[in-house]
Amino acid sequence: GCGSKNAGGTPEAQGASLAFVSNGVADFWTIAGQGAMKAGEELGVKVTVVMPNGMTDQTRKMEDLLTRGIDGIAISPINSINQIDILNKAAAESILITHDSDAPESDRVMYIGMDNYIAGLMCGELVRKALPEGGEVMILIGRADQDNSSRRRQGCIDAILGREPDSSRNDPLGDPMTSEDGKFTVLGTLTDQFDRAKGKANAEDALTRHPNIAAFVGLFTYNPPLAMEALRGAGKLGEVKVIAFDEDEISLQGIIDGTVTGTVVQDPYAYGYESICVLNELYKKNNSVIPENKFIDIPARVIDSSNVEEFWADLKKKTGR
Amino acid sequence: MTGKEPGADSLLSRISQKLRAGGKVYGILGLLIMICVYTAASTDRFLLSGNIENLVHRTALFGILSIGAAFVIITGGIDLSIGSVVCLVGVLLPFLLTKHDWTVPAAVGAILMISLVIGLVHGLLVTKLRLQPFVVTLCGLLFYRGLARGITNDQSQGFGSGFQELRLIAKGRIPILGDAEGAFQLPATTLVLIVLAIVAAVFLNKTIYGRYLLALGNNPEAARYSGINTDRMVLLAYAICSMLAGVGGMLFVLDINAAQPSDFGNFYELYAIAAAVLGGCSLRGGEGSIIGVVIGSAVMVVLSNTINLVHPNYQNVEFAIIGAVILSGAVVDELVRRWLSARRAGMKVG
Amino acid sequence: MTGKEPGADSLLSRISQKLRAGGKVYGILGLLIMICVYTAASTDRFLLSGNIENLVHRTALFGILSIGAAFVIITGGIDLSIGSVVCLVGVLLPFLLTKHDWTVPAAVGAILMISLVIGLVHGLLVTKLRLQPFVVTLCGLLFYRGLARGITNDQSQGFGSGFQELRLIAKGRIPILGDAEGAFQLPATTLVLIVLAIVAAVFLNKTIYGRYLLALGNNPEAARYSGINTDRMVLLAYAICSMLAGVGGMLFVLDINAAQPSDFGNFYELYAIAAAVLGGCSLRGGEGSIIGVVIGSAVMVVLSNTINLVHPNYQNVEFAIIGAVILSGAVVDELVRRWLSARRAGMKVG
Amino acid sequence: MPENNSPPVLEVRHVGKQFQSVRALDDVSLGILAGEVLAVLGENGAGKSTLMKILAGVQSPSTGEIFVDGQLVVFANVEQALQAGISLIHQELNLASNLSVGANIFLGREPRRFGLIDNCRIERDATKYLEMVGLDVSPRTIVGRLSIGKQQLVEIAKALSTQARVLIMDEPTSSLSQHETETLFGVVKNLRAQGVSVIYISHRLREVEELADRVVVLRDGCFVGQILRDEIRHDAMVSMMVGRDVSKFYHRTAHSTGDEVLRVEQLRTPAYPAHAISFSVRAGEIVGVAGLVGAGRSELLTTLFGVTPAVGGSMKTESLARPPRTAREAIEAGIVLVPEDRRLAGLVLGMSVKQNLSLATLRREMRGGFLNREAENRVCEEMTQQLRIKSAGGDQIVQVLSGGNQQKVVLGKWLATEPRLLLMDEPTRGIDVGAKEEIYRLMHELAGRGVAIVFVSSEMEEIFGLSDRALVMHEGRIAGGLDRAEISEDAVMQLATGTGRTPAKC
Ligand SMILES: Nc1ncnc2c1ncn2[C@@H]1O[C@H](COP(=O)(O)OP(=O)(O)OP(=O)(O)O)[C@@H](O)[C@H]1O
Ligand SMILES: Nc1ncnc2c1ncn2[C@@H]1O[C@H](COP(=O)(O)OP(=O)(O)OP(=O)(O)O)[C@@H](O)[C@H]1O
Ligand SMILES: [Mg+2]
Ligand SMILES: [Mg+2]
């Protein structure tokens, strides 16, 4: 556990009421939510986990949290530069920290998490490792038009193509891009709008169109398993590499079975847990928890055959799944 | 007919007329009041002027869409493209202003133009080619969102920290009760809704065109035989609907400050239609009341506010709750209707 | 009447009959062929047996939903809840099997039961309470998804690496042309579709119940006055629709292996309805052909395949393209219709 | 005739029916014997259709009982009534327009083979019944393509096919002309001979005179009395129905005709693009258009009114040089149409009497686009008085008005526009004698005021009772024109069936 339990009395009695706001509805966030709830129990504070549908809903939910007189909010802004208003409003009326995706331009107290661009780079490196001879790579993603996914995708592409890291790039979705040395080709990025049937179809069609595709990168939790389904259907599972993102159990099993090269995992549980702990301290006016770079790094990790078992065991322990 | 019948008949007709729109309006108003009372009783934060401001503001945004939907529904048609028009407009406004440095008048003008054209195209396909409104606007639903994604290449469009003056249209608050701390201030959007609603209500109930719409929604043939240019009226209805969707879309994005092409306005057509139906529009056409529609959208807005304030842990079943409420609304309405006519029959016999 | 009249009339009628369903089917079939030819011409990968297998497989999944939608549409109703039923079923199956260790028969049975009940509730609300199908099923759309999210607490439900045998129903391939490398194998789902489609087609066109559906879809009074129990037939239609949505939902999740309650099956009702309309169903009721509906869903599946294979950079405007194609399909259909009747008039003159 | 010792085939005792506020039937008792043709008469809204619907299991009585062969029965639905051998031809058409004639005839009673519909048999049997009613179309024809008259014949064929013991016909001839009517009479007499009982409802008293063995009269939902075979006379029936003596049924006063208001030359309609029509009408003239079902009369009127586009030809009025393209054009040129099917094209059923009456004049009276309430009320006042519309006031929904009053509302809507040429398609269809008389009176008044009237009628008496001149149509052509003096049943029939002389003066 982190921080200190509220002094004396039944916790609920004088515990703060804090909120953990995600940028959408996904397993990633249910895990984070569990972390937040756990911290809430330990600290005896009331925690509300909010999973909005899109930006409008996120703004509405924030407004209503403030109406409720919430004491602190940890949010993953969907589109930070354009949400300054609501973020600053929240910062003014409550305590605001960001997680998963930062909003440095806003008045948020601090940021917990990691840089999706860097995580993307790590993912790209995995691709290079998986394909020593290089080859054609197809990127699968749910949506490309929200901060976390576009940065993650860009990082991945830059690493694959061996470019100088520069998070300000934004390559178009469609056209193939080849690295200087001509070894690697990023065939494109296929979006599925969270429609999994569509996601599977995308992977299948990519296989049909690019017979000598060498690897799939699945940048949303559910993409790698869909890619694996497609490969199994085409009898190419294991032959075509799969590089995953996040910790879907199918992906992890794939790593064990050797059908998935590896995955880059963030630590959603820690996002939730840490966010609540920090908010609680801040609520108790203990500003010592704020590092001077206002950034608690919960770095993304690469999970591959070497460390998958213990990671998975730990995950199961935390989430009880 | 016998001598006694007239009196009874006029009672019948008067009641049935009340039931037509009036009754439904009272019904939905009652529902709204119930929800408000419940919420106010459950939390003292509900009646904070700030929350009221939020509610009337959100109601305004959805109300504008719903009024548009109502016009089409009154003609016996339907418009499934509202949400996608909201999306297209929502990304276009920032796109044109920030990425292409258009002037505000140019951008707004162009967007209103586009909405108008969209409405006219729908109308023409429905009237001249006799295509089914559901089909036409379903294609619209798919097309305009795809277009929005294509134009922006799947990137969110926003104003960043610019265009604050323009955004006042959507964010501004008017201190009608003086600017004392915590005093209620009227959101600009609410003002817009009030104006639009009044205009729409007058148009529908006081002008011949409104009468024409109701008539042709009720019986197109008879309207045509009475020398009404039904095609033009239907065209008008679709134009109004898309225009209002355009206005609403701009207000939405000005309020939210950015739009994600892939999900901005998703399902809004369904909310708008649901609000219109809740508000007393019959999808069979020929029936509808503007005030009812506005109240209808208020119900849905308040409902989700209730959940956020009172039952934050049930947020993920919010849709289930809204669906259940709409349905029970419809069921109760129907049962009351039957009970009333049973009563009438009873009165007559006794 | 003179002697020539009957001849003319029967000709007239035969043409018009063709136009009713037949014509539309040819139309949509032509469209499908055009798209296929175009794609095959643009890429040699299109006709790979693997790709064909994928296409017929996807067509099967959507086709099953569309056939269900068709039955409701033929009665003049609509079912907007299909996608949400797919979602509810899609999360329930793995939920019951993995989280609650139900036996396969128990889980499948329970889910079919639930789908049936859903359909019956829709039907009862529409027939007994005379609520508008759009309203009833719109509430369904909101409610069942909310329910799915509530039950699973927003966690996606999947089979992990288990239940491989069960999943063969959705993933299996039958080597009808021998199991030579690259030989076409019939997906099990396609077999399911073929069976369902044949049963549905016979039911609709050759049995009295099908005829009753067509009759009441066109003129409920006439059907009722002919001694047909219209309510029961409508009930049946909604039951069929939800049952097929349930079956489809199970196949979808068995195929994909996991379902996320917040997104699974989103908009599928619209695809199903679009396919039904493309396939010759009139939303005014009384018209529809099963084969047409199946072809309709094939068109949408192939179209998105075409985009992925031939124009991957346009992937994000896929919706726009599908919308445009559906619309042009409807437009062309209408124009041909008119041209033909003009021809008829011409014949009469000559 | 029927032997009276056996119990009635069908009998109702003390039947009452209550709609929300309307007492449609009040303690009515009557029975019908085997092989009897019983005519049920009554003004609009007297309760005839309601009573029949109760007999056929469409509606259930609020009070009272039904007996079949002396046995008490309760019909829960139409099917049970059919089982009991009772079949009803409804007053309004009730066909599935998307299905073939054959499918409609056997709807609900499809012959089956191996559980599947046996279409061959349907076609074979359907042809038989179609011949019976003298309808010469293929069983495969889609019903929606037939004219209203033909659809009526299909309804009759359908009823015949049920092999009912009691056949109820609610105004079967309302859109049939002489020719078809006589075929129908043949059928009815035939059935009677076979011992089938027929309940026959009509506002055409001449038909009743010819057919009925017994006449029963309802008024305001009550049984007022019955007339036996040999006392059945026109005036007897009328006085029993309306409770007063309707003297001088047709006012045959010649009208001083003014100058030409309409000249039609080589006009061709979509239904019969091959045949051109030419004629002209003078102010103050009443022109009757006769012809068989499907002769193209309705098409002619709708074309003159601009709601069906003319295929070719010219048409001149004072202000128009070509056929109108929309109803608006026609109305502005002073041409209005009382359509054949008032519920479909004449009235906005969901709207009030006032709103319907003012619908056509809103534009003329509007104040800068806004409704002019005074004008609306004025029109409502005037028309309600002038046409003696019986309603609970201007705010009543027209849906609940009786047929006659509905028709008056349609007329009123048009009179308010002060037309110069009044087109009427079956103006007295389904309207009772009282209302008929008033409508005839009106037509004469209008003619007297110099309004030109062209009316289509399938009722022979109307043609020669009202017209100053008759045009007889045959398959889209005008087979001939007859002056008042020349108008006779034979002359009209000859032209209508195409056996007559070629057109002389039009
Ligand atoms: N469904 C209904 N709801 C309310 N009132 C009705 C309904 N059906 C009939 N009525 C009323 O019952 C009375 C009898 O109607 P009915 O149709 O039996 O008269 P009718 O004798 O058939 O008249 P017509 O000669 O015009 O057909 C009328 O006043 C009518 O308005
Ligand atoms: N909707 C239609 N489509 C095709 N043909 C039609 C249609 N309506 C009418 N007809 C045909 O046009 C011809 C004229 O019909 P119309 O109704 O004008 O005849 P009518 O003399 O008025 O007979 P009725 O007394 O039955 O109305 C008929 O042969 C009919 O079959
Ligand atoms: Mg009647
Ligand atoms: Mg006619």
Side-chain angles (χ1 to χ4, degrees), chain D residues 219-290:
Chain D
R219 196 189 307 147
D220 299 329
C222 303
F223 179 97
V224 283
Q226 68 174 1
I227 312 176
L228 294 178
R229 184 82 194 94
D230 30 14
E231 286 99 50
I232 297 177
R233 304 256 180 297
H234 187 285
D235 41 11
M237 292 186 281
V238 171
S239 48
M240 191 180 271
M241 276 166 64
V242 288
R244 67 193 149 90
D245 190 30
V246 181
S247 58
K248 201 153 167 296
F249 203 59
Y250 298 105
H251 324 240
R252 302 203 54 173
T253 53
H255 306 112
S256 54
T257 60
D259 41 6
E260 198 169 271
V261 292
L262 172 71
R263 169 167 289 284
V264 176
E265 264 154 13
Q266 300 301 311
L267 187 71
R268 293 197 268 109
T269 67
Y272 289 101
H275 302 304
I277 298 171
S278 307
F279 68 94
S280 67
V281 186
R282 304 184 154 281
E285 192 179 27
I286 300 184
V287 178
V289 181

Side-chain angles (χ1 to χ4, degrees), chain B residues 14 30 39 47 56 77 124 145 197 199 217 242 256 273 307 322 326:
Chain B
R14 238 182 281 114
T39 319
L47 293 177
V56 293
L124 285 172
R145 183 170 300 280
V199 173
S242 296
I256 301 301
I273 294 169
I307 296 165
I322 292 181
I326 297 179

Side-chain angles (χ1 to χ4, degrees), chain B residues 227-286:
Chain B
I228 298 172
N229 186 336
T230 50
D231 285 3
R232 191 179 305 157
M233 295 311 299
V234 171
L235 206 61
L236 179 66
Y238 282 91
I240 292 175
C241 183
S242 296
M243 287 288 275
L244 287 181
V247 173
M250 287 196 277
L251 291 177
F252 264 107
V253 73
L254 286 169
D255 177 38
I256 301 301
N257 198 31
Q260 241 178 308
S262 59
D263 78 356
F264 197 67
N266 253 340
F267 290 115
Y268 282 12
E269 59 279 346
L270 294 186
Y271 302 152
I273 294 169
V277 170
L278 267 175
C281 294
S282 160
L283 290 167
R284 302 188 189 89

